[in-house]
Amino acid sequence: MSTGSTENRHLQQTRVEFSAGLFGVYVHWPYCARICPYCDFNVYKNRAVDADIWVAALTRDLEKYATRTRGRKLTSLYFGGGTPSLAPLPVIESVIDACETLWGFERGAEITLEANPTDAEQSRFESFAKAGVNRLSLGVQSLRDDALKFLGRDHDAVAAKRAIAAAQAAFPRVTFDLIYGRPGQTLQDWRAELSEALELGPKHLSLYQLTIEPGTAFGVAVDKGRWAPPEDDVTADMYDIAQEMTAAASLPAYEISNHAAPGEESRHNLVYWTYGDYAGVGPGAHGRLTEDGARIATEAPLAPQDYLSAAPHEETTLTPAEAAMERLSMGLRLTAGTPFTEDDAFFAEASALERLDRLIGDKLLQWDGQTLVATANGRRILNRVLYELFA
């Protein structure tokens, strides 16, 4: 059982500042009960695992990164995957305890765990809360049974609603995901489903457009012409509906796909979007550290067996231009934008100012000399904006 104080485990309900000083740990659990047809993450079919072996491997890497980040305290710890709610409870408890010992948690630190709305996972919610998890992220994906079947999920709409209620009772903070842009989904369908989701009283929602990734089951099906996603103008309208409806429900967008009441923003994801430092442990986990003024990208071995056998992590020192590209690509997702001044490494390339001016002239970006912000229309087509910004 984790021994940290309750005060350190529960996020204070104050508005999160968009600060690059945030520091987090990401833990990747690689196993799922089944592989969703749209998923291109580093995941594997669930199997029996030895908790002691996993605790040893994860602790080993946490200790390694702690020696490189002395003096830091954690603002967030995130268990992702995969399905980390399927991990043996001692693994979750031990990682939380190790993080508390190695770094310590800032006051109001956020500890998030991803889970699915299955009955088996719901039965463990109270145990996760007692272990120190104070924020649950539920992979609901839809409130329509036909859509859930299409998406390859193990739950139905009734189970999803039951899980949301159970999570809200067990944790001080809860978020859940929905996927829109499914084949055959109309604007009316999406508006009705989102309205139903908002009636469940969420304080944070992640709304993602269905993306067809190469190599996934969905990618193969689309390539073979078995079905097609909606046209771009339809999904753009769905995006606009999401902005309108969540704002009206006092959950405005603070990032392209994420909506929250004030103070309910995902502190861990803000580490990524503000280009803060984070250590990544678990198979295939990525991390970003700043050492001697340089940005270091880390990646753990992909295969679980390689990770458990202590195969080395890959490390790359990013060039200033590469780091600038990453920072802007992440920061422009935020409605608040990203710090950006005339001495930014972005301007090292001769044509950089010309590209920036063109996007500002097209009213896709705004810049006041201190902060670069994607406009509402710029965020709708951010991939195109980023392509033109760095072309």
Side-chain angles (χ1 to χ4, degrees), residues 332-363:
L332 287 174
R333 297 182 64 87
L334 292 166
T335 58
T338 185
F340 189 71
T341 59
E342 292 182 358
D343 61 356
D344 196 281
F346 168 80
F347 291 107
E349 191 175 340
S351 62
L353 183 58
E354 178 184 341
R355 298 195 304 271
L356 177 63
D357 282 344
R358 183 169 61 250
L359 290 165
I360 292 172
D362 290 341
K363 296 183 171 23

Side-chain angles (χ1 to χ4, degrees), residues 17-163:
E17 296 297 326
F18 299 140
S19 166
L22 300 176
F23 174 55
V25 165
Y26 172 75
V27 180
H28 186 78
W29 185 255
Y31 299 118
C32 287
R34 64 192 299 182
I35 308 301
C36 296
Y38 53 84
C39 180
D40 70 339
F41 295 159
N42 183 42
V43 295
Y44 305 83
K45 193 72 178 291
N46 193 44
R47 63 182 181 85
V49 299
D50 186 315
D52 291 340
I53 291 175
W54 277 95
V55 167
L58 293 168
T59 303
R60 172 195 69 215
D61 282 345
L62 291 170
E63 290 173 344
K64 176 182 70 176
Y65 286 119
T67 64
R68 300 172 64 172
T69 54
R70 295 188 187 279
R72 305 293 296 270
K73 282 198 170 188
L74 289 174
T75 51
S76 67
L77 167 61
Y78 194 101
F79 293 92
T83 310
S85 53
L86 295 177
L89 184 61
V91 173
I92 304 301
E93 293 173 335
S94 296
V95 167
I96 294 174
D97 283 339
C99 286
E100 194 155 17
T101 299
L102 294 168
W103 288 283
F105 289 98
E106 292 279 9
R107 178 179 173 81
E110 176 186 279
I111 303 176
T112 302
L113 182 135
E114 294 180 346
N116 291 319
T118 64
D119 290 339
E121 291 172 64
Q122 288 180 56
S123 68
R124 310 180 75 198
F125 285 0
E126 290 290 345
S127 296
F128 292 133
K130 289 178 182 177
V133 174
N134 57 27
R135 184 174 183 270
L136 197 74
S137 177
L138 278 171
V140 170
Q141 314 307 9
S142 178
L143 295 175
R144 299 290 179 266
D145 287 345
D146 58 343
L148 290 168
K149 183 176 180 180
F150 169 75
L151 293 168
R153 306 300 286 164
D154 279 343
H155 62 276
D156 60 17
V158 171
K161 293 177 182 179
R162 185 168 61 241

Side-chain angles (χ1 to χ4, degrees), residues 153-289:
R153 306 300 286 164
D154 279 343
H155 62 276
D156 60 17
V158 171
K161 293 177 182 179
R162 185 168 61 241
I164 292 168
Q168 290 169 336
F171 300 93
R173 302 179 68 219
V174 175
T175 180
F176 62 89
D177 303 347
L178 294 177
I179 293 177
Y180 65 91
R182 308 184 299 260
Q185 187 181 29
T186 66
L187 300 182
Q188 184 178 2
D189 293 338
W190 174 228
R191 191 179 288 277
E193 185 175 1
L194 184 52
S195 176
E196 190 173 334
L198 291 169
E199 289 173 0
L200 299 174
K203 295 182 179 178
H204 188 287
L205 275 177
S206 296
L207 307 176
Y208 299 114
Q209 179 182 332
L210 178 61
T211 303
I212 310 303
E213 301 289 355
T216 63
F218 275 2
V220 172
V222 171
D223 286 345
K224 291 185 176 181
R226 293 174 183 162
W227 56 268
E231 297 293 332
D232 288 347
D233 58 344
V234 174
T235 54
D237 287 343
M238 289 180 175
Y239 173 85
D240 290 341
I241 286 171
Q243 310 313 299
E244 165 206 326
M245 292 183 64
T246 55
S250 299
L251 273 71
Y254 68 100
E255 188 268 348
I256 285 179
S257 300
N258 286 273
H259 308 256
E264 292 292 332
E265 300 91 344
S266 168
R267 195 163 192 183
H268 185 79
N269 284 337
L270 286 170
V271 175
Y272 304 148
W273 297 324
T274 61
Y275 211 45
D277 286 3
Y278 61 99
V281 303
H286 290 253
R288 291 293 184 273
L289 301 173

Side-chain angles (χ1 to χ4, degrees), residues 279-354:
V281 303
H286 290 253
R288 291 293 184 273
L289 301 173
T290 304
E291 296 180 339
D292 299 323
R295 192 67 168 171
I296 311 297
T298 67
E299 182 179 357
L302 282 171
Q305 61 268 27
D306 292 339
Y307 182 80
L308 293 174
S309 64
H313 293 214
E314 292 185 11
E315 294 203 7
T316 305
T317 300
L318 303 180
T319 67
E322 289 170 335
M325 181 183 297
E326 278 196 348
R327 180 174 54 78
L328 291 172
S329 297
M330 298 302 286
L332 287 174
R333 297 182 64 87
L334 292 166
T335 58
T338 185
F340 189 71
T341 59
E342 292 182 358
D343 61 356
D344 196 281
F346 168 80
F347 291 107
E349 191 175 340
S351 62
L353 183 58
E354 178 184 341

